[in-house]
Amino acid sequence: MNYGTIKVIEMSENCLNFINERLLPLRDFVKGLNKDTFEPDNISEDSGINDDPSKARYMRDYQSEAIKQLIFTGMGRGILDLCTSSGKSFIIANTIWTLHKQYNNNLKYLVYVPTRQLVDQMYSDFLEYGYDKKFITRLSSGLKKDD
């Protein structure tokens, strides 16, 4: 397989098991959906955050389309190349929420960000969108156990 200019010669048994157990079931799930009628879920609506007009968060068309692409094309993985304040963390939060509600509510998700500041920002954003803090774990150097 080719990934850009990197050629993968052989996959480990663990990697093959991961693909078979995690990615292929999602592919089967996606096959049963109609991309044109599929609607992503909005954590802000489901959590009740949108009941307060000053805190309401609604999905824009390009955000909904990004979630569809991440699910239908990337099987839950992908790169979001959007400008500042375009709602990348909102897209990530709602992709996870959609997969949680419509696919499998027992899965765990891992979001990588390059700096400690972004770890804190994503954590705050997810709480602001309506996630319960008991379902979010932050990992970074310098965090105390209680954080």
Side-chain angles (χ1 to χ4, degrees):
M1 285 187 267
N2 287 324
Y3 293 98
T5 59
I6 301 171
K7 291 189 179 190
V8 178
I9 306 299
E10 186 177 317
M11 283 193 227
S12 72
E13 190 67 30
N14 287 341
C15 184
L16 288 172
N17 288 338
F18 175 81
I19 290 169
N20 286 327
E21 293 171 12
R22 302 286 186 216
L23 299 183
L24 295 182
L26 182 58
R27 184 172 294 146
D28 291 339
F29 164 74
V30 169
K31 282 182 186 175
L33 301 174
N34 182 338
K35 186 177 180 181
D36 296 328
T37 60
F38 178 82
E39 286 299 322
D41 290 291
N42 184 338
I43 177 69
S44 298
E45 290 173 5
D46 293 344
S47 67
I49 295 291
N50 283 358
D51 294 343
D52 180 350
S54 66
K55 295 180 181 178
R57 301 274 182 186
Y58 299 100
M59 225 178 289
R60 295 187 172 106
D61 289 342
Y62 70 89
Q63 293 169 327
S64 178
E65 185 58 33
I67 292 170
K68 288 180 185 180
Q69 290 298 323
L70 285 170
I71 292 173
F72 284 89
T73 306
M75 299 301 141
R77 301 172 304 145
I79 295 173
L80 295 172
D81 185 16
L82 299 167
C83 63
T84 303
S85 297
S86 60
K88 291 179 288 292
S89 62
F90 190 64
I91 292 168
I92 293 166
N94 283 302
T95 300
I96 292 169
W97 187 250
T98 299
L99 289 172
H100 172 80
K101 281 190 65 183
Q102 296 188 33
Y103 173 57
N104 185 339
N105 63 359
N106 291 316
L107 291 180
K108 308 277 189 253
Y109 301 88
L110 181 62
V111 178
Y112 286 103
V113 293
T115 66
R116 165 69 191 275
Q117 179 184 3
L118 289 176
V119 170
D120 294 336
Q121 181 181 330
M122 287 289 285
Y123 178 77
S124 297
D125 287 348
F126 274 44
L127 294 177
E128 184 179 313
Y129 302 146
Y131 274 91
D132 190 324
K133 109 193 283 187
K134 69 182 175 186
F135 296 114
I136 303 172
T137 301
R138 293 181 291 167
L139 301 172
S140 177
S141 64
L143 284 174
K144 295 179 175 38
K145 188 175 180 179
D146 294 339
D147 291 340

